[in-house]
């Protein structure tokens, strides 16, 4: 089987690369009219246009690889089927699953490569392409103030601030709740009209304060009050707003964690993270469909199989976009919405693979 495996693998890789290059060229051509307009309007020089196209390639590569895998696998196996090689191998007692084992393994490693490109390369090249299009480097903006700031600290202290200024370190309408270790009972409540963060002592100073000690059931009013346990810096209350597509997976997880502590909406970030882990493996999922659809040779059916595979490929994108919308709207868990299209098409792939055995 070693020679057969090498032969099948070579055919698959060749067909995949031809399909991939074709799809990349189609997407680049679709961008050329826009780039020519940018050059004509003076928004981009010809040299910048070349770099702009180069920086677009990782995004295009990620998006078209499932289509290239689907079409490439179908073309490779269909060619073998048309030469009666598939039926000959089956007749000699080799199962179809064994024949296509190496293309499936190759598709899995391609998925891993796409995953790494999506994580490490795509965020950087996306930023660079946007910088060229804008004519300036995009900077992450941090708000100076925030209304109704919320923060849950690591020491089971919850802060509610009516308004906070991260530059001056001043806040008003302050409410601080100290919870117990299990976070199911209130131990202390501190309410203050104003507060200021002491940079030297690294702690908050409160003014016109009411302290309600729930554990000891007493309450006291103070003009000023400070304690080392209230030491969260002002900038921790203000979330950095950044496009999740510009972040690596590690950075995205950190931002989600920070936004959660301030009570912000992380749904969009979670959907992006879910897609980062699910979409790259679409290439591995659709290879089963491509291999199965190309397994039988019927005169005149090749064009139908190719049309069907392309239709299924675009069908995956439609299903994926639909479930992504459900995740963004909060109807489905972001990670679940990302993997449902993969599960649906994997079941379809297994169905056609079983039919290809006969």
């Amino acid at each position: 089987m070693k020679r057969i495996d090498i032969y099948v693998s070579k055919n698959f890789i060749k067909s995949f690369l031809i399909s991939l290059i074709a799809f990349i060229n189609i997407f680049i051509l679709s961008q050329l009219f826009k780039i020519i307009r940018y050059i004509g309007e003076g928004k981009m020089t010809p040299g910048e246009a070349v770099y702009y196209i180069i920086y677009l390639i990782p995004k295009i590569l990620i998006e078209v690889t499932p289509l290239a895998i689907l079409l490439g696998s179908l073309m490779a196996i269909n060619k073998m089927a048309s030469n009666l090689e598939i039926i000959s191998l089956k007749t000699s007692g080799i199962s179809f699953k064994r024949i296509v084992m190496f293309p499936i393994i190759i598709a899995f490693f391609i998925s891993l490569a796409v995953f790494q490109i999506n994580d490490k390369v795509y965020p950087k090249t996306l930023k660079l392409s946007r910088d060229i299009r804008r004519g300036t480097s995009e900077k992450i903006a941090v708000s100076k103030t925030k209304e109704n700031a919320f923060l849950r600290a690591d020491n089971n202290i919850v802060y509610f601030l009516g308004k906070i200024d991260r530059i001056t370190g001043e806040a008003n309408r302050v409410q601080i709740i100290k919870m117990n270790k299990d976070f199911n009972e209130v131990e202390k409540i501190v309410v203050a009209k104003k507060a200021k963060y002491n940079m030297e002592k690294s702690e908050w100073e409160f003014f016109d304060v009411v302290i309600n000690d729930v554990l000891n059931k007493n309450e006291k009013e103070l003009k000023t009050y400070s304690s080392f346990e209230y030491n969260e810096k002002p900038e921790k209350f203000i979330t950095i707003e950044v496009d999740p597509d510009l972040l690596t997976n590690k950075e995205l997880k950190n931002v989600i964690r920070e936004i959660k502590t301030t009570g912000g909406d992380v749904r969009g970030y979670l959907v992006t993270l879910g897609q980062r882990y699910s979409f790259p493996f679409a290439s591995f999922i659709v290879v089963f469909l491509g291999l199965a659809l190309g397994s039988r040779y019927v005169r005149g059916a090749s064009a139908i199989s190719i049309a069907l595979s392309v239709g299924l490929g675009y069908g995956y994108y439609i299903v994926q976009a639909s479930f992504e919308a459900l995740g963004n709207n909060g109807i489905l868990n972001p990670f679940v919405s990302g993997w449902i299209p993969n599960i649906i098409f994997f079941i379809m792939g297994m169905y056609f693979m079983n039919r290809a055995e006969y």
Side-chain angles (χ1 to χ4, degrees):
M1 281 297 294
K2 186 175 180 181
R3 287 185 178 180
I4 297 174
D5 289 333
I6 293 171
Y7 174 71
V8 175
S9 298
K10 281 183 176 180
N11 281 339
F12 171 70
I13 293 171
K14 181 181 176 181
S15 299
F16 163 67
L17 291 176
I18 291 171
S19 302
L20 183 64
I21 292 169
F23 283 121
I24 289 175
N25 286 334
I26 291 170
F27 274 76
I28 289 175
L29 285 171
S30 69
Q31 293 291 322
L32 278 181
F33 297 103
K34 187 188 297 183
I35 293 168
I36 291 169
R37 189 177 75 246
Y38 287 152
I39 294 173
E41 293 173 353
K43 295 179 180 179
M44 195 181 291
T45 66
E48 288 175 336
V50 173
Y51 280 107
Y52 181 72
I53 292 171
I54 293 171
Y55 295 145
L56 285 178
I57 289 175
K59 180 178 185 293
I60 296 171
L61 186 70
I62 292 164
E63 291 179 351
V64 305
T65 297
L67 269 178
I69 286 279
L70 182 60
L71 187 58
S73 58
L74 183 141
M75 290 169 57
I77 297 301
N78 188 256
K79 182 181 177 182
M80 291 181 64
S82 63
N83 293 332
L84 303 180
E85 293 169 334
I86 297 295
I87 192 68
S88 298
L89 290 170
K90 284 183 177 181
T91 305
S92 64
I94 303 172
S95 69
F96 181 71
K97 290 186 179 69
R98 178 62 187 85
I99 296 170
V100 299
M101 183 178 71
F102 273 75
I104 292 171
I105 293 171
I106 292 168
F108 178 73
F109 281 103
I110 290 172
S111 293
L112 291 179
V114 172
F115 178 82
Q116 291 299 321
I117 292 170
N118 201 14
D119 178 22
K120 308 295 183 185
V121 181
Y122 170 60
K124 295 177 182 177
T125 54
L126 177 64
K127 183 182 184 304
L128 290 170
S129 66
R130 288 182 179 180
D131 290 346
I132 290 175
R133 196 172 60 195
R134 289 191 182 96
T136 181
S137 180
E138 183 180 7
K139 295 181 179 179
I140 298 174
V142 183
S143 301
K144 180 176 178 291
T145 61
K146 184 177 181 179
E147 302 277 350
N148 301 317
F150 166 89
L151 177 68
R152 176 177 172 177
D154 295 333
N155 50 1
N156 285 351
I157 295 177
V158 181
Y159 296 77
F160 298 94
L161 310 178
K163 184 177 181 180
I164 183 171
D165 188 314
R166 69 177 179 84
I167 304 298
T168 63
E170 296 177 348
N172 58 35
R173 304 193 308 278
V174 179
Q175 297 181 53
I176 301 176
I177 301 173
K178 171 69 175 179
M179 304 295 293
N180 67 348
K181 185 178 179 181
D182 297 324
F183 209 82
N184 56 9
E185 290 184 7
V186 177
E187 293 185 349
K188 185 193 291 186
I189 301 174
V190 176
V191 180
K193 288 184 178 180
K194 294 182 180 181
K196 185 174 177 62
Y197 187 76
N198 190 316
M199 301 293 181
E200 294 180 359
K201 295 182 179 179
S202 298
E203 63 184 32
W204 283 93
E205 296 176 346
F206 305 98
F207 307 95
D208 296 326
V209 189
V210 177
I211 302 174
N212 186 347
D213 190 342
V214 179
L215 283 178
N216 299 316
K217 297 181 180 180
N218 64 62
E219 182 179 293
K220 56 183 176 181
E221 297 182 11
L222 301 170
K223 284 292 181 182
T224 61
Y225 172 72
S226 63
S227 173
F228 68 90
E229 66 178 337
Y230 307 121
N231 57 9
E232 302 298 329
K233 294 182 179 180
E235 53 265 28
K236 289 195 69 174
F237 291 85
I238 299 179
T239 305
I240 298 174
E241 295 184 3
V242 59
D243 186 344
D245 289 335
L246 299 176
L247 304 174
T248 64
N249 292 348
K250 184 178 179 180
E251 292 169 341
L252 199 51
K253 290 174 184 176
N254 290 335
V255 169
I256 290 170
R257 195 178 301 113
E258 291 173 5
I259 293 175
K260 280 184 175 180
T261 62
T262 59
D265 185 6
V266 298
R267 191 163 48 205
Y269 293 89
L270 287 172
V271 169
T272 300
L273 187 62
Q275 292 296 328
R276 290 275 184 90
Y277 280 96
S278 60
F279 185 77
F281 293 96
S283 302
F284 174 67
I285 299 298
V286 299
V287 74
F288 294 99
L289 282 170
L291 294 170
L293 288 171
S295 62
R296 291 186 180 184
Y297 173 66
V298 179
R299 190 178 297 277
S302 298
I304 297 173
S305 296
I306 291 173
L308 181 60
S309 69
V310 172
L312 286 170
Y314 280 105
Y316 175 87
Y317 291 105
I318 294 170
V319 173
Q320 184 262 337
S322 301
F323 280 98
E324 182 180 349
L326 293 176
N328 277 316
N329 292 330
I331 298 173
L332 287 176
N333 178 283
F335 281 89
V336 173
S337 66
W339 279 99
I340 286 178
N342 286 356
I343 294 170
I344 292 172
F345 277 78
F346 180 73
I347 292 171
M348 290 173 60
M350 290 297 99
Y351 169 76
F352 284 112
M353 283 291 286
N354 287 329
R355 290 194 63 184
E357 289 289 355
Y358 304 104

